[in-house]
Amino acid sequence: MKLTVIGAGPGGYETALYAAKRGLDVTIVEKDALGGTCLNRGCIPTKALLAVSDTVKTIRDAASYGITVPEGVMADFEAAFARKDSVVKALNSGVEYLLSAAKVRVLRGTGTIADAHHVKVALSDGGSETVETDKIIIATGSEPSVPASFGYDGERIITSNEILALNTRPASLIIIGGGVIGCELAQFFARMGTQVTILEMMPHILPNEDRDTVRALEKSFRKDGIKVFCGKGVEKLEPVDGGVTVTLSDGNAYTAEKVLVSTGRRPATRNIGLENIGVETDRRGFIPVDGYMHTCAEDVYAIGDVVPTQQLAHVAAYEGFVAVDHICGDLREADYRAVPGCVYTNPEVATVGLTETAAEAKGIPVKVGRYDFMGLGKAKASGHTEGFVKVLADQNDVIVGGTVVGAHATELLQTITLAVQFQLTAEQVGHTIFPHPTMGEAIMEAVHDIHHLSVHKP
C-alpha cells in the first residue's frame, strides 16, 4: 500500500518512519528543511540556546559549590547561536539518514492535494511531479500567528522564526505573550544580557498552569531581571528611533529595540488542496478528524498542528502512529488522557492531566499530595532545591494529574504520566520502591502525602 505524507516535521517524519516499519510504501513531501518547525525553528534550537544560558547561570553560581571562577565571565551570543545551528544541522542529517535507511522516498517541494489519491508536488529545484497514492496523511504543521494590527515587519517586530536567526543580541526585548515560547526565550535572552519585558493579556504568564507553578516561575524571572506585566491587552505598536513602543490598553507604554510577537500559532492549512477533496476547516483553520485522525475525505488523514488538539511535537507523532495503525487495519483511537506539557525554563515546568487550579475551577473533587524539593537529600546535595511535585487523585484514589516544577521536571513527569495513562491509584504508586537518593523521591513523597503518610513531611 502506498502512503504519502505531506510535511516532514516531527509528526510527519516519525509517521513516515513508523509506516515504513509497518510495511507501507512511503513518500514524504517537504518544502523546507526536514524536521519542520520543531527541529529547525522551535523545540530543538530553543533548547540548545537554553542549555547555554543555564550553563551561564551555573558558572555564575559556582561559588556556592566551592568553585572559584574568573570575574567577568561573559556569554558569547554569536557562539551560542553557532552551537544552536550545529545541533540543528546534526539532527537534520540524522532525520535524513533515518528516512533513507527506512527506504522512505523524500520529495523536496510544495505538495498540493489534487484528489484523494494524487498529490501534486512543485519541486524545489524546478518542475513538478504528481504522486499516485492509496492514502494521504496531512502533516503540514503551523506557523506563527501575528495580529495584522501589530505591523509585523520581520526586522523590529518579529516572530520566533526571526528571533532564532539573529546575528547580534538585542540590548532590549519586549515579548508579547507569556506562553511557553515567550517564557523560554525571555529567560535565555535575559541571562545573555538583554533587558527583557513580558506583556501578557491574561491574568498571569503560562495561563493554563497551576497558580503555584506560576508563582515559582515569576520568582525566578525576578531574579533574572525579567519584568512581567499581565492583565492588559496591546493597544498599538509604533516604530520609533532605535526600536518599537508598545502601548497597552491601560495607557502604559514600553519601548525596546525589538518586539517578539509570541501570541500563538495557526494551522498551515491554506493552499494545500483541501477544497479538492471536500474538506472544510473550522473557523480557526483546523481540519476536523475522528478518533483515528481520519478526515471526512475517504483515505485522507490529518495529524499534528493542523487538527484541533494540543500543538505539541509529541502529540503530532502520536497521532501519526494512530493514523498509520488505522490504515493498517488496527482500530486504536487517539487517547489524550495523559498528554505531558513541558516548559524548559529554569526551573522547568511539567504538567500532565488535571492541575489543582483547573480542578477547583471545574468543581472536580480531588485529593492533592505535595512535596517540596527542599526536603530531598539529592536536591540539597546537588543544589537544586527550588520547586515541588504535586499529584492529584480522584475520589477513587486514581491519579488524574500531576505537576513538577524544578530541576529535571520534564524528565521526572513521565512517572506521573504513566500513572495517569494507566489509571493507577496513589496506593499502587506509593507501594513502588523509588531509588534513594534521587529527585524522583519527591514523586513518592507527594503520592504518600495524598494519604497524609509522607514520612519526610511534618
Side-chain angles (χ1 to χ4, degrees):
M1 183 183 295
K2 294 181 179 180
L3 168 67
T4 299
V5 180
I6 306 175
Y13 86 75
E14 290 187 42
T15 296
L17 292 170
Y18 181 66
K21 290 180 182 293
R22 295 219 55 179
L24 302 185
D25 180 358
V26 185
T27 296
I28 191 165
V29 181
E30 175 55 57
K31 64 181 180 181
D32 201 348
L34 298 177
T37 295
C38 179
L39 174 50
N40 297 283
R41 297 177 300 279
C43 318
I44 298 302
T46 55
K47 304 313 162 282
L49 294 176
L50 285 167
V52 174
S53 58
D54 285 348
T55 302
V56 169
K57 182 180 185 300
T58 299
I59 294 172
R60 289 172 179 167
D61 293 343
S64 65
Y65 293 87
I67 300 171
T68 301
V69 297
E71 292 185 7
V73 174
M74 297 295 292
D76 187 327
F77 184 84
E78 292 183 10
F81 268 61
R83 178 183 180 277
K84 177 262 297 180
D85 292 340
S86 177
V87 169
V88 170
K89 183 178 179 181
L91 289 171
N92 277 141
S93 298
V95 172
E96 188 167 7
Y97 168 76
L98 288 171
L99 291 170
S100 175
K103 295 182 171 53
V104 173
R105 184 181 182 222
V106 179
L107 275 180
R108 306 278 187 160
T110 301
T112 305
I113 300 170
D115 58 48
H117 299 107
H118 294 87
V119 176
K120 186 174 182 180
V121 183
L123 301 173
S124 299
D125 58 1
S128 66
E129 179 176 336
T130 298
V131 180
E132 185 176 352
T133 188
D134 297 303
K135 308 285 184 180
I136 296 172
I137 295 180
I138 302 168
T140 46
S142 61
E143 55 196 8
S145 176
V146 182
S149 62
F150 280 14
Y152 163 74
D153 60 12
E155 295 183 3
R156 286 186 287 185
I157 303 171
I158 60 178
T159 68
S160 56
N161 289 348
E162 291 83 23
I163 203 165
L164 290 171
L166 292 179
N167 295 317
T168 58
R169 178 183 63 81
S172 55
L173 173 68
I174 291 174
I175 299 177
I176 301 177
V180 176
I181 296 172
C183 286
E184 289 181 353
L185 289 173
Q187 196 162 56
F188 166 74
F189 278 94
R191 289 183 173 177
M192 297 296 284
T194 298
Q195 294 179 345
V196 179
T197 300
I198 297 177
L199 305 177
E200 168 58 54
M201 70 178 295
M202 299 296 285
H204 56 75
I205 58 174
L206 298 182
N208 296 323
E209 296 295 341
D210 183 276
R211 58 176 175 270
D212 290 339
T213 298
V214 174
R215 290 191 192 107
L217 191 56
E218 287 179 340
K219 180 180 177 181
S220 179
F221 278 7
R222 285 193 293 271
K223 291 178 181 178
D224 290 325
I226 299 170
K227 296 179 181 178
V228 179
F229 300 96
C230 299
K232 303 296 179 183
V234 172
E235 189 72 25
K236 60 181 177 179
L237 282 75
E238 295 178 294
V240 296
D241 289 342
V244 180
T245 295
V246 180
T247 303
L248 301 184
S249 57
D250 61 1
N252 287 321
Y254 306 90
T255 300
E257 181 180 333
K258 291 187 182 294
V259 172
L260 168 64
V261 181
S262 183
T263 53
R265 301 181 64 84
R266 64 187 179 199
T269 51
R270 293 178 294 182
N271 303 317
I272 62 172
L274 294 179
E275 67 280 1
N276 297 329
I277 51 173
V279 171
E280 294 184 1
T281 63
D282 66 16
R283 61 181 180 80
R284 298 171 297 169
F286 291 108
I287 300 172
V289 291
D290 63 15
Y292 305 107
M293 314 315 297
H294 195 235
T295 71
C296 65
E298 187 175 0
D299 298 326
V300 180
Y301 298 74
I303 65 169
D305 288 5
V306 298
V307 302
T309 56
Q310 294 189 55
Q311 293 183 316
L312 298 168
H314 43 280
V315 170
Y318 168 78
E319 291 172 341
F321 295 176
V322 169
V324 170
D325 284 346
H326 188 258
I327 289 170
C328 293
D330 300 331
L331 304 183
R332 174 170 72 105
E333 287 195 63
D335 179 0
Y336 301 100
R337 179 189 299 115
V339 176
C342 302
V343 188
Y344 295 84
T345 47
N346 188 335
E348 289 188 348
V349 174
T351 307
V352 66
L354 275 178
T355 65
E356 184 179 12
T357 302
E360 290 177 357
K362 296 176 181 178
I364 300 174
V366 293
K367 295 174 288 184
V368 180
R370 172 172 172 149
Y371 196 79
D372 293 347
F373 284 119
M374 181 66 74
L376 288 185
K378 176 65 178 293
K380 282 187 173 294
S382 63
H384 297 302
T385 56
E386 185 177 15
F388 59 88
V389 172
K390 275 189 186 182
V391 180
L392 282 65
D394 66 14
Q395 293 177 311
N396 296 316
D397 202 41
V398 174
I399 294 175
V400 293
T403 296
V404 185
V405 177
H408 313 299
T410 56
E411 311 292 341
L412 295 171
L413 184 72
Q414 196 56 36
T415 298
I416 306 175
T417 301
L418 286 168
V420 174
Q421 178 65 38
F422 294 104
Q423 298 178 287
L424 301 179
T425 64
E427 183 181 30
Q428 287 173 319
V429 177
H431 287 171
T432 304
I433 298 174
F434 284 70
H436 171 79
T438 62
M439 300 292 282
E441 286 178 282
I443 297 173
M444 176 190 71
E445 296 286 0
V447 168
H448 285 319
D449 188 49
I450 289 174
H451 301 133
H452 308 293
L453 294 175
S454 172
V455 298
H456 290 100
K457 188 171 182 178

